[in-house]
Amino acid sequence: MKNKNVLISGGLGFLGSHFCKILLKNNFNVILIDKRSPKTPSDKSIVSQSLKFHKVDITNENQIKKMYMNLKKNKIFIDVLINNAAIDSIPKSKQKNSHLPNISDWNKELSVSLTGSYLLIKYFGQDMAKNKEGKIINIGSDLSVIAPNQNLYSDYKNFFKPVTYSVVKHGLLGITKYFASLYSKDNVQVNMISPGPVYNQQKKRFVRKLKKFIPMNRLSKLSDLEEPLLFLVNERNSYFTGQNLIVDGGRTII
């Protein structure tokens, strides 16, 4: 896997930064893209170890095309594309009623995850198909196959997990299956990792409630996602495509 180039969107986010660390640890060349500049020491450490960092708004096709041409000019071919960028809706104690998002929020959230993923596949997936080699990994959620249980958020006044999050994750599964079918003859594998709830210093009461819905009786740790990611990027994995790899401690089976 040494010298394989991985392009990952949302690389400075909670999941994205961890994925970058794992890929770097396993000798991949990471090309990291994010809408924001690195600010924290952790951000700067990841960027310094990466092959390249591009500050890109993935909803803007011109910016993606410019990045694509820059990589091509420098003879950097993308072996693995990871569509990780998304706008998550984090429960907060005090906020306006978010039962139904306004149309601008709807457009923004769908644009980042669905339009952004499509545009990256449009440019880099087509190159993979031409070269008869490549892997595309979309980052989903357990909400790619189930609906959110709004009762979980009763301690957060006026908070509802918005419809946009479910639409995005279900939509990514559709994108996964579509391009897996389209590119299979070209030896390009397209799959999805769908994590269940990942521990990120949530309130103890919320964690206790959520654990009741998970057969393994705990939230995911970041380390639980490492082996699924490494399986999908491994070149010895050559016959696995169009699949939604759900890593949720059994939450979606009951």
Side-chain angles (χ1 to χ4, degrees):
M1 294 183 285
K2 191 174 182 180
N3 298 323
K4 293 288 186 179
N5 298 324
V6 182
L7 177 67
I8 178 168
S9 66
L12 294 179
F14 174 61
L15 287 183
S17 60
H18 185 70
F19 290 151
C20 287
K21 291 174 185 176
I22 298 308
L23 293 165
L24 289 166
K25 184 179 178 181
N26 284 271
N27 299 315
F28 285 91
N29 298 320
V30 173
I31 297 93
L32 185 158
I33 57 178
D34 205 289
K35 189 177 180 179
R36 67 178 179 86
S37 300
K39 295 179 180 179
T40 67
S42 178
D43 288 349
K44 293 174 181 177
S45 174
I46 292 170
V47 169
S48 69
Q49 297 175 68
S50 298
L51 181 64
K52 274 185 174 291
F53 169 74
H54 288 270
K55 185 178 178 181
V56 172
D57 176 358
I58 60 172
T59 69
N60 186 315
E61 185 168 7
N62 288 332
Q63 290 188 27
I64 288 180
K65 186 175 181 180
K66 183 178 179 181
M67 175 184 67
Y68 168 79
M69 296 304 296
N70 176 271
L71 292 172
K72 201 165 187 177
K73 180 181 178 181
N74 286 282
K75 298 182 179 180
I76 298 174
F77 171 73
I78 301 303
D79 301 289
V80 180
L81 167 64
I82 302 178
N83 286 311
N84 171 74
I87 298 175
D88 196 2
S89 182
I90 307 298
K92 298 177 183 177
S93 297
K94 295 180 181 179
Q95 62 182 49
K96 295 180 181 179
N97 191 310
S98 58
H99 184 201
L100 295 175
N102 60 48
I103 198 65
S104 63
D105 288 338
W106 168 279
N107 289 337
K108 182 179 180 181
E109 291 178 36
L110 267 63
S111 185
V112 169
S113 288
L114 298 183
T115 305
S117 296
Y118 166 70
L119 288 172
L120 288 169
I121 293 172
K122 175 183 175 180
Y123 284 90
F124 296 99
Q126 286 192 110
D127 268 5
M128 292 178 184
K130 289 175 184 176
N131 287 281
K132 304 298 181 183
E133 183 181 21
K135 297 176 186 289
I136 298 171
I137 302 167
N138 299 316
I139 304 301
S141 158
D142 52 1
L143 296 186
S144 67
V145 294
I146 59 172
N149 184 338
Q150 302 294 359
N151 293 325
L152 286 169
Y153 309 106
S154 58
D155 291 338
Y156 297 91
K157 186 178 180 181
N158 291 330
F159 179 84
F160 294 84
K161 197 72 172 181
V163 62
T164 43
Y165 197 77
S166 289
V167 170
V168 160
K169 297 308 181 182
H170 278 73
L172 275 175
L173 183 54
I175 286 175
T176 300
K177 292 179 178 181
Y178 179 88
F179 283 105
S181 175
L182 184 68
Y183 289 152
S184 287
K185 67 181 185 301
D186 300 310
N187 195 35
V188 177
Q189 296 164 266
V190 186
N191 291 292
M192 183 159 153
I193 297 178
S194 285
V198 181
Y199 182 71
N200 188 21
Q201 300 183 329
Q202 294 94 333
K203 288 184 177 181
K204 291 181 179 179
R205 180 179 170 86
F206 176 69
V207 171
R208 285 197 300 269
K209 289 172 68 174
L210 187 50
K211 283 165 58 177
K212 293 178 182 178
F213 294 90
I214 302 172
M216 292 191 75
N217 196 38
R218 68 173 177 87
L219 274 64
S220 167
K221 298 175 287 188
L222 285 171
S223 59
D224 291 319
L225 304 177
E226 295 176 10
E227 290 304 321
L229 176 68
L230 292 174
F231 164 69
L232 290 181
V233 300
N234 195 311
E235 59 190 8
R236 289 176 293 179
N237 158 28
S238 61
Y239 199 60
F240 189 85
T241 196
Q243 303 304 308
N244 186 13
L245 196 55
I246 303 173
V247 189
D248 68 347
R251 185 185 181 195
T252 58
I253 64 173
I254 57 174

